[in-house]
Every structure is written in structure tokens, then in C-alpha cells.
């Protein structure tokens, strides 16, 4: 199993670079950031510095969307980094949540997202693609490589990830829901004539190491609120208890009243009080190292290829170091 670290691009950008270097020293292979350019700093600028100051780390957004930047701008940004640092990027992409809503826009449609996946990949790897009815090719790209991984929760999005994406990003670490969603992605891949093993499975969630579970929960409760935004979209689309999405995913948002993106992804987010302890425990990895190892082994047995650790709490350095010393060595093979 590979491991990644996910950070917010909070100023100073140099601190993000420092944490990414720390992650690489501890054996992490991937360095991710949020991509919401009003709430945080522009990630592609930071990626350039991270790549310059690391040797092997692969970087990318978790996740970008096909509206904030046009597809040719996104492809060119990745291709530029790859030309400078040797194909060390990955494009995580989704419909867009905070990046869109914080400026008063709705998330992209699945149709627009699906069209963008192949176009971004083709352009970033030097092939021609159709953009707005025009044949476009970036002439200076030689030997570029860009895997595109799609974030998804609902049945239509999961099917699209299985059909089109190089990887699937699931932002929660509950084994039951992970199994359900991986099965949906793999079935879609098979139905599309693909080898399901070609789709990399990445689970992303906060991890907090320590014996004080009450404190760990309060540091990670924000995550249930973030996931709740996507769950609310699913309930609006499919209805409650529709059978299209497991009730284990949707029931917990019944007490959700609203969400202010000014607090998005913050440990002190006041809009996440509706998230019960049981959901924090299921969606996140909490407790001593043995508890983390047990959950990660469950996820690995389900087919998870990478665990990406959200380090958005008051123990970022210590968790990265503990994972490097006690968790990653157990998955070195």
C-alpha cells in the first residue's frame, strides 16, 4: 500500500513545502493539497516548490474541477511541472465543492466532469483533443504522463470513475462503505471492457494518533461535515432511503442545518456539531498505532492501493512522524 499526505495550502506556502518534505523523509509517496483558490493559496505554485525540494514525491490536487481552470490550462500546468521535474504529478478531479460554492457557483455536472477527464489526460500527455469544438494539441509536450483520478460517492459518479478514470478517490475510511463503493467502481470498469485492476483505489481520511479519543474526535469532526456536503447532494438527487446509496452513508446528515464554507476543512468548524462520534470513528483513523494498523489492513484487504492522510489538525508533524516510524514499515512490501 502507498501512503499520501493531504494538506491545505494555508499561508505561509513554505510551511506546506516543509511538511511535504517531512512526509517524503518518512516514506510517503504522494503529496496532495486541496484546490480551492479563494479559501487557500494557489496550489500549482506550491507544487513547483514541493517538487523542487523533494526527490520522489508525486503531487496533485485532492481535488481540482473542470471549471476553476479551463481544461487546457489545467493540462498545461501539469505538463509544465512534469517537464521540469519528471512526471511526478497526478490529477485528482471531481465536480467541485468549496471551489465552486464559495464563489456562488454550483458544482459541475457529471457530464462536464466526464468530458474533462480524457481531454486533460490527452492534452497533458501530448495528444490532440477536442476543446469547445476545436482540435487542440500542446506542441511542446514530449513524453508527458498524467494519471487522472476521480473523486466520487454516488452511483452515477462511481460508474463514471470505473469507466473513465485511472484512479478512484474515496474521501472516507469506513470499511463497509469502502467495500460497497469499490465494488461499484470495479463493476463499471468490467462493464466498460476494462481490467478493474487498472483503476487505482485511493482512500483519503484524517488520521490522528493518540490515546485521547475525545480530543482526536474534536480535531477530526470537520471531516464528517465536509463529507456531509456531498451526502446532502446525494440525498437531494436520490431521496432518503432510496436504495441507491447505503443508509449508513446518508442517515447521519438528518440534523445538518447549514454549512459556511468560511470554516471549510477547519478543526474548529462550528457547522459540524451534527456529526456524531460514531461517524467520526467510522470515517477517520483514530487511536493508538495498533488501531490505525488494524483499519489499514482492513482497507488493504478490500483492494485499497493508497491511504492519503488528511493532516489538518493540531498534530500534523507528530502524526506524519509516527506513521513514518510505526505504520508505513508494516506495509513496506
Amino acid at each position: 500500500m502507498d501512503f499520501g499526505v493531504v494538506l491545505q495550502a494555508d499561508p505561509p506556502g513554505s510551511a506546506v513545502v516543509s511538511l511535504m518534505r517531512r512526509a517524503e523523509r518518512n516514506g510517503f509517496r504522494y503529496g496532495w493539497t486541496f484546490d480551492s483558490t479563494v479559501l487557500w493559496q494557489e496550489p500549482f505554485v506550491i507544487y513547483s516548490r514541493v517538487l523542487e525540494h523533494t526527490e520522489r514525491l508525486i503531487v496533485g490536487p485532492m481535488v481540482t474541477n473542470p471549471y476553476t481552470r479551463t481544461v487546457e490550462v489545467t493540462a498545461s500546468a501539469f505538463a509544465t511541472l512534469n517537464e521540469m521535474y519528471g512526471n511526478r504529478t497526478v490529477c485528482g478531479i471531481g465536480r467541485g465543492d468549496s471551489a465552486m460554492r464559495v464563489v456562488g457557483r454550483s458544482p459541475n455536472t457529471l457530464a462536464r466532469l466526464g468530458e474533462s477527464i480524457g481531454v486533460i489526460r490527452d492534452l497533458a500527455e501530448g495528444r490532440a483533443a477536442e476543446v469547445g469544438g476545436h482540435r487542440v494539441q500542446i506542441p511542446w509536450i514530449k513524453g508527458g504522463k498524467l494519471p487522472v483520478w476521480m473523486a466520487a460517492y454516488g452511483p452515477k459518479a462511481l460508474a463514471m470513475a470505473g469507466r473513465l478514470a485511472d484512479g478512484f478517490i474515496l474521501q472516507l475510511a469506513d470499511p463497509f462503505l469502502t467495500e460497497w463503493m469499490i465494488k461499484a467502481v470495479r463493476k463499471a470498469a468490467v462493464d466498460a471492457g476494462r481490467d478493474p485492476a487498472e483503476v487505482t483505489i485511493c482512500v483519503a481520511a484524517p488520521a490522528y494518533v493518540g490515546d485521547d479519543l475525545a480530543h482526536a474526535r474534536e480535531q477530526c469532526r470537520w471531516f464528517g461535515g465536509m463529507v456531509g456536503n456531498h451526502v446532502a447532494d446525494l440525498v437531494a438527487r436520490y431521496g432518503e432511503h432510496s436504495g441507491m446509496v447505503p443508509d449508513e452513508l446518508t442517515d447521519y446528515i438528518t440534523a445538518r442545518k447549514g454549512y459556511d464554507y468560511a470554516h471549510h476543512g477547519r478543526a474548529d468548524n462550528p457547522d459540524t456539531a451534527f456529526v456524531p462520534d460514531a461517524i467520526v470513528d467510522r470515517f477517520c483513523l483514530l487511536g493508538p498505532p495498533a488501531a490505525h494498523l488494524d483499519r489499514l489492513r482492513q482497507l488493504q484487504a478490500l483492494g485499497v492501493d493508497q491511504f492519503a492522510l488528511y493532516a489538518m489538525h493540531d498534530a500534523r508533524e507528530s502524526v506524519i512522524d509516527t506513521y513514518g516510524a510505526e505504520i508505513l514499515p508494516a506495509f513496506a512490501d
Side-chain angles (χ1 to χ4, degrees), residues 4-7 20 30-34 60-62 90 92 149 169 306 308:
V5 63
V6 190
L7 302 172
M20 292 292 191
Y30 286 79
W32 304 89
T33 72
F34 280 8
M62 188 175 283
V90 57
W149 296 6
I169 296 172
Q306 179 186 155

Side-chain angles (χ1 to χ4, degrees), residues 220-264:
C220 299
R221 197 175 305 277
W222 65 267
F223 183 68
M226 185 189 81
V227 174
N229 298 331
H230 303 287
V231 173
D233 286 345
L234 294 176
V235 171
R237 176 180 293 269
Y238 298 108
E240 294 184 12
H241 309 295
S242 65
M244 299 296 291
V245 182
D247 293 343
E248 289 85 350
L249 178 62
T250 60
D251 280 351
Y252 85 97
I253 68 160
T254 54
R256 181 180 183 269
K257 299 187 186 312
Y259 193 88
D260 184 349
Y261 278 88
H263 309 292
H264 189 62

Side-chain angles (χ1 to χ4, degrees), residues 151-166:
Y153 291 104
K156 292 182 179 179
L158 293 168
M160 181 177 288
R163 289 196 312 270
L164 302 177
D166 300 300

Side-chain angles (χ1 to χ4, degrees), residues 4-8 20 30-36 40 43-44 47 59-65 78 90-94 96-98 149-151 153 168-172 201-206 222-223 226 230 264 306-310 312:
V5 63
V6 190
L7 302 172
Q8 293 161 335
M20 292 292 191
Y30 286 79
W32 304 89
T33 72
F34 280 8
D35 179 13
S36 191
W40 297 289
F44 283 90
Y47 298 153
V59 304
M62 188 175 283
V63 293
T64 193
N65 72 84
F78 279 112
V90 57
C91 176
I93 194 166
D97 179 36
S98 64
W149 296 6
M150 179 179 159
Y153 291 104
F168 162 51
I169 296 172
L170 173 58
Q171 292 168 309
L172 54 80
I201 307 296
C202 174
V203 161
W222 65 267
F223 183 68
M226 185 189 81
H230 303 287
H264 189 62
Q306 179 186 155
F307 175 66
L309 182 163
Y310 280 96
M312 300 173 190

Side-chain angles (χ1 to χ4, degrees), residues 269-318:
N269 188 334
D271 300 322
T272 60
F274 72 92
V275 180
D277 288 351
I279 286 292
V280 182
D281 292 349
R282 286 174 52 192
F283 284 11
C284 306
L285 276 69
L286 311 175
H292 291 247
L293 286 167
D294 179 63
R295 178 73 65 85
L296 289 166
R297 289 183 177 123
Q298 292 180 59
L299 295 172
Q300 185 182 43
L302 295 173
V304 173
D305 300 298
Q306 179 186 155
F307 175 66
L309 182 163
Y310 280 96
M312 300 173 190
H313 44 57
D314 63 2
R316 297 180 302 177
E317 292 86 353
S318 65

Side-chain angles (χ1 to χ4, degrees), residues 27-311:
F28 288 77
R29 285 196 63 216
Y30 286 79
W32 304 89
T33 72
F34 280 8
D35 179 13
S36 191
T37 52
V38 171
L39 296 177
W40 297 289
Q41 294 179 318
E42 168 55 43
F44 283 90
V45 177
I46 293 175
Y47 298 153
S48 186
R49 294 289 290 173
V50 171
L51 291 167
E52 181 182 4
H53 290 284
T54 56
E55 296 179 358
R56 300 170 303 280
L57 203 69
I58 298 167
V59 304
M62 188 175 283
V63 293
T64 193
N65 72 84
Y67 188 102
T68 298
R69 304 170 194 83
T70 59
V71 289
E72 70 274 15
V73 170
T74 297
S76 182
F78 279 112
T80 300
L81 294 172
N82 284 338
E83 186 278 325
M84 294 175 69
Y85 301 106
N87 289 339
R88 290 168 54 202
T89 65
V90 57
C91 176
I93 194 166
R95 293 176 59 221
D97 179 36
S98 64
M100 299 293 288
R101 287 177 162 133
V102 78
V103 292
R105 303 186 185 111
S106 297
N108 294 271
T109 64
L110 276 177
R112 182 171 189 167
L113 173 58
E115 291 170 359
S116 73
I117 289 173
V119 172
I120 291 171
R121 183 196 296 122
D122 284 343
L123 291 177
E125 294 185 349
R127 295 183 296 276
E130 185 174 296
V131 179
H134 299 278
R135 185 179 183 275
V136 176
Q137 187 168 14
I138 303 176
W140 51 264
I141 297 176
K142 308 295 180 186
K145 185 67 176 174
L146 181 67
V148 181
W149 296 6
M150 179 179 159
Y153 291 104
K156 292 182 179 179
L158 293 168
M160 181 177 288
R163 289 196 312 270
L164 302 177
D166 300 300
F168 162 51
I169 296 172
L170 173 58
Q171 292 168 309
L172 54 80
D174 174 70
F176 173 81
L177 294 171
T178 299
E179 181 177 20
W180 187 88
M181 294 185 187
I182 289 176
K183 285 180 177 178
V185 169
R186 287 178 169 165
K187 180 182 184 301
V190 171
D191 290 346
R194 303 181 66 189
D195 178 354
E198 293 178 355
V199 183
T200 301
I201 307 296
C202 174
V203 161
Y208 199 104
V209 182
D211 295 324
D212 187 345
L213 285 179
H215 180 74
R217 288 175 182 137
E218 291 313 308
Q219 288 294 304
C220 299
R221 197 175 305 277
W222 65 267
F223 183 68
M226 185 189 81
V227 174
N229 298 331
H230 303 287
V231 173
D233 286 345
L234 294 176
V235 171
R237 176 180 293 269
Y238 298 108
E240 294 184 12
H241 309 295
S242 65
M244 299 296 291
V245 182
D247 293 343
E248 289 85 350
L249 178 62
T250 60
D251 280 351
Y252 85 97
I253 68 160
T254 54
R256 181 180 183 269
K257 299 187 186 312
Y259 193 88
D260 184 349
Y261 278 88
H263 309 292
H264 189 62
R266 305 294 182 187
D268 59 353
N269 188 334
D271 300 322
T272 60
F274 72 92
V275 180
D277 288 351
I279 286 292
V280 182
D281 292 349
R282 286 174 52 192
F283 284 11
C284 306
L285 276 69
L286 311 175
H292 291 247
L293 286 167
D294 179 63
R295 178 73 65 85
L296 289 166
R297 289 183 177 123
Q298 292 180 59
L299 295 172
Q300 185 182 43
L302 295 173
V304 173
D305 300 298
Q306 179 186 155
F307 175 66
L309 182 163
Y310 280 96

